[in-house]
Amino acid sequence: MRPDTWFDALHRCQQMGESYVLITVLSVAGSTPREAGAKMVVTADSQYDTIGGGHLEHAVIAQAREQLAGAVMHGQPAPLIESFPLSAKLGQCCGGAAKILFEVKACHGQHVTVFGAGHVAKALVPLLAQLPLQITWVDSRQAMFDNLSISSNVHIVVDDEPESVLPRIPANSWLLVLTHNHQLDYQIVEDALRKFSFEFVGMIGSDTKARRFLTRLTHRGLTDRQLSRLISPVGDLSVPGKRPVEVAVSITAQLIKRLHSNAVTEADITLTTRTRESHDA
C-alpha cells in the first residue's frame, strides 16, 4: 500500500533503498498553510504527506528534486535551510513566511527485487545480501519466510498479488522472477516490461519456457525494445549445475558482473564531470 504519512514514507524509502528528501517546516511567521514541524517526503517521482499544498509546496518539491538529482550525481549534500515568503511571487497572498529544512538522503546502492521464496530464492538472497545491494523479497506466502535469518538490507513483502508490488519499487531496480507459478511469472514479466522501464528483468527457467514467453509477449504487442530487457534463462550460464545453490551462484555471478560494469560507467561519468568542471574553472 502507498504510505499515508511522511513517517511511513521515510521508513519505506529506507527499507527499499530509495533516495528521498525529508522536508520540514522549521519556523513560520504570519499566516502560513501549515505550522512549524510539518513534514513531507519527496522522491524522484512521488511525494508523501503535505506542508500545506499550493504554490509553496510546489516550489519546495521542485527544489527538493533538484537537490536529489544533484546528490545522485555528486554525493550527499549538507542539510539546507531556505526561506520562502508567501508573497505574490509564489502566487499566494497569505503575507507570511516559512523557513524550510531540506535533508537529502541519496541511496547509491543498487536495488534488486526478488519475486518468489522457493529453494533457489532461499539459496540466492543470502548471497546477494552480502553485496552492496538493497533487496526486496516478495512472495504471497508468509510461511515461506518463517524462521529465516534476514539481513538488514533485505526487506520482505508478503502480498497476495505479488505483481501489485511493481509500482512500489524503485525505478532502477533489477528484477528476478523466481516464483513457483508459471502464470504468475508471466504476469510479473509482462507488467514489468509493458508498464515500467526496469532495465533488467531476469526470469528463471528453461530455454523452452523463455521461447514460449517471448512468443506470447510478442503476440501481446510488446516491442523488441521492451523484450530486450527480459533476460531468460537468468544467470551466468558458464556456471554449470541445476541444484538451487548452483543456480543461485549463477545468478549472483551475473549480477556481480553488472555491478562492476555499472561501477565503471559511474566512474567514467564522474571523471568526465570533474574534467569539465576543471576546464570551466
Side-chain angles (χ1 to χ4, degrees):
M1 294 177 61
R2 178 182 168 86
D4 292 324
T5 67
W6 68 267
F7 182 81
D8 291 333
L10 190 70
H11 177 71
R12 174 186 175 277
C13 289
Q14 290 173 340
Q15 287 284 343
M16 302 188 76
E18 184 174 10
S19 299
Y20 65 89
V21 183
L22 175 62
I23 293 167
T24 306
V25 179
L26 280 186
S27 64
V28 297
S31 178
T32 58
R34 290 289 301 275
E35 68 283 354
K39 296 177 184 287
M40 69 182 298
V41 168
V42 174
T43 67
D45 56 9
S46 298
Q47 58 262 4
Y48 306 92
D49 225 318
T50 179
I51 57 168
H55 291 281
L56 169 64
E57 185 168 294
H58 180 77
V60 167
I61 290 171
Q63 181 159 332
R65 288 191 172 136
E66 285 184 14
Q67 293 181 49
L68 197 56
V72 170
M73 287 295 297
H74 304 298
Q76 200 84 359
L80 175 69
I81 298 174
E82 290 280 358
S83 295
F84 290 84
L86 304 184
S87 61
K89 183 178 180 180
L90 282 181
Q92 296 187 232
C93 55
C94 301
K99 283 190 176 180
I100 307 294
L101 171 65
F102 297 84
E103 296 176 275
V104 179
K105 175 61 176 178
C107 300
H108 295 281
Q110 175 63 47
H111 190 278
V112 174
T113 302
V114 179
F115 288 94
H119 296 303
V120 172
K122 285 179 177 176
L124 173 66
V125 170
L127 294 176
L128 296 182
Q130 299 175 64
L131 299 171
L133 298 171
Q134 293 292 328
I135 301 163
T136 299
W137 194 3
V138 185
D139 200 286
S140 60
R141 304 162 294 174
Q142 174 63 55
M144 300 302 288
F145 299 111
D146 291 346
N147 303 316
L148 294 182
S149 178
I150 305 299
S151 298
S152 60
N153 60 333
V154 178
H155 174 54
I156 288 176
V157 175
V158 178
D159 197 301
D160 289 338
E161 298 179 343
E163 69 276 12
S164 70
V165 175
L166 289 168
R168 312 202 302 266
I169 62 179
N172 75 324
S173 188
W174 297 342
L175 271 54
L176 295 173
V177 184
L178 318 174
T179 85
H180 62 293
N181 183 312
H182 278 210
Q183 182 53 38
L184 178 57
D185 283 352
Y186 179 83
Q187 190 62 59
I188 293 170
V189 166
E190 181 176 0
D191 286 354
L193 297 178
R194 184 188 298 279
K195 300 177 183 179
F196 303 95
S197 56
F198 303 113
E199 67 177 63
F200 181 93
V201 180
M203 183 182 69
I204 196 170
S206 64
D207 289 330
T208 300
K209 177 183 176 182
R211 286 194 298 269
R212 286 176 177 170
F213 271 45
L214 284 172
T215 298
R216 189 175 172 188
L217 291 165
T218 301
H219 289 161
R220 292 276 292 168
L222 273 73
T223 67
D224 289 344
R225 185 171 183 179
Q226 289 172 321
L227 294 174
S228 69
R229 295 187 276 116
L230 175 60
I231 310 301
S232 184
V234 68
D236 183 341
L237 301 184
S238 68
V239 178
K242 296 183 179 180
R243 297 182 182 90
V245 67
E246 293 168 334
V247 177
V249 168
S250 169
I251 296 171
T252 302
Q254 186 175 40
L255 295 194
I256 288 173
K257 288 180 180 179
R258 290 186 67 87
L259 279 172
H260 282 270
S261 174
N262 281 9
V264 170
T265 301
E266 289 177 3
D268 289 343
I269 291 172
T270 302
L271 178 60
T272 301
T273 302
R274 288 176 178 170
T275 302
R276 287 175 179 166
E277 287 173 348
S278 64
H279 287 170
D280 291 342

